[in-house]
Amino acid sequence: MSVKNILISQPDPGEKKSVYHRLTEKFGIKVDFRPFIEVVGVKARDLRKQKLRILDHTAVILTSRNAIDHFFRIVDEMKVELPTTMKYFCVNEGVSLYIQKYTQLRKRKMFVGKGTEASFLEIVKKHKALNFLFPCSNIRKDSIPNFLSENNIKYTEAIMYNTVNADLSDLASVYFDILVFFSPQDISSLFSNFPDFTQEDRAIAGWGKTTNLAIKEAGLLNTIPAPSPESPSMVAAIEKFVLSKK
């Protein structure tokens, strides 16, 4: 097959140059972006009905930019004044840097994982006397709440935003040579929008083990699995595939 166009199931970077731009420069491939899932915030009034009391907690676990955005949104909507003693546990440095969009924190209030979830959970365990608030989505991994429960760490899980399928109906008549997916939710959205979808001669690129499993369970073939030792990034995996078709 000759690859002419690719759909990346992520938001359009806009004027910012994407890493996928090199596929256009090198092979003349048209690259389009379209998120297959959307994040919708939960209303503060709904969290009040669930009797969420932010100030009952002494620490907050933050695992993503979405978690930060919606935590501070809820704080604002509830008109909560966060105490200077509140501590923030960020899963990695990227998350810890993003929190500065909302507040400037000194080191004694910020605790940051060293790039792995295991290192982050060890930091949490060292502060098990705290009462943690865990802002999250309706779709999240079990590892953090399971760890907290297993170690008898007091916490409240608060679903502050929902991950839902995007409306892709306008893509019904558009054909792409490669579809690129990054999560099982992307596959769920694909079939929610197009129940009769068949792969035909399209190539599918799937990132990570859980996405690969979702692709397989949907009866599709992950033509371009990533990451791999030879292709540590998705763009590298796609480039290798395109070269193999020359």
Side-chain angles (χ1 to χ4, degrees):
M1 64 178 287
S2 175
V3 179
K4 296 178 181 178
N5 57 359
I6 297 174
L7 180 63
I8 310 290
S9 61
Q10 290 186 332
D12 192 325
E15 295 181 2
K16 186 178 178 181
K17 195 172 183 179
S18 162
V19 293
Y20 298 97
H21 187 69
R22 83 187 204 202
L23 296 172
T24 303
E25 293 178 330
K26 193 169 182 178
F27 304 109
I29 297 171
K30 186 176 185 295
V31 179
D32 289 313
F33 295 85
R34 181 67 175 273
F36 275 46
I37 54 178
E38 297 176 344
V39 173
V40 179
V42 173
K43 301 289 186 183
R45 65 173 178 267
D46 294 329
L47 290 168
R48 285 196 187 97
K49 289 177 184 176
Q50 298 170 34
K51 298 183 179 180
L52 174 67
R53 296 181 178 87
I54 292 174
L55 296 183
D56 285 352
H57 304 84
T58 52
V60 185
I61 291 175
L62 297 167
T63 57
S64 68
R65 291 187 175 192
N66 280 329
I68 292 171
D69 286 337
H70 289 282
F71 169 70
F72 283 100
R73 174 183 61 81
I74 292 296
V75 165
D76 184 59
E77 289 180 9
M78 287 186 168
K79 295 180 170 55
V80 171
E81 186 173 342
L82 295 170
T84 56
T85 53
M86 184 70 80
K87 294 177 170 55
Y88 302 84
F89 289 73
C90 302
V91 71
N92 56 43
E93 186 177 358
V95 171
S96 71
L97 292 173
Y98 187 72
I99 200 175
Q100 295 178 42
K101 174 180 176 181
Y102 295 96
T103 183
Q104 296 294 322
L105 297 175
R106 296 180 180 178
K107 289 184 178 179
R108 63 186 176 85
K109 298 178 187 175
M110 178 89 76
F111 302 86
V112 185
K114 296 179 180 178
T116 65
E117 189 175 85
S119 69
F120 170 70
L121 293 176
E122 280 304 307
I123 293 171
V124 171
K125 190 175 181 180
K126 290 178 182 177
H127 298 82
K128 62 186 303 180
L130 296 173
N131 183 4
F132 289 90
L133 177 63
F134 177 35
C136 62
S137 166
N138 60 320
I139 298 175
R140 54 102 179 109
K141 294 194 299 181
D142 294 332
S143 51
I144 289 178
N146 285 353
F147 179 88
L148 296 171
S149 297
E150 289 165 4
N151 287 276
N152 298 313
I153 298 173
K154 191 174 182 181
Y155 77 98
T156 301
E157 180 178 317
I159 296 177
M160 294 187 175
Y161 54 103
N162 290 312
T163 303
V164 300
N165 297 331
D167 180 3
L168 307 173
S169 56
D170 58 304
L171 297 179
S173 60
V174 184
Y175 185 91
F176 293 94
D177 296 310
I178 301 178
L179 301 175
V180 185
F181 301 114
F182 294 88
S183 73
Q185 290 74 43
D186 290 335
I187 308 303
S188 173
S189 179
L190 173 68
F191 282 93
S192 174
N193 279 275
F194 310 111
D196 300 323
F197 175 83
T198 54
Q199 187 167 353
E200 300 175 335
D201 60 349
R202 297 179 184 87
I204 287 178
W207 178 266
K209 293 180 180 179
T210 57
T211 306
N212 182 58
L213 179 60
I215 292 170
K216 183 177 180 180
E217 289 178 344
L220 306 176
L221 174 66
N222 189 358
T223 325
I224 311 172
S228 69
E230 301 81 18
S231 304
S233 68
M234 179 57 82
V235 69
I238 295 172
E239 187 170 350
K240 181 181 177 183
F241 175 81
V242 171
L243 286 170
S244 72
K245 299 300 176 183
K246 290 292 184 179

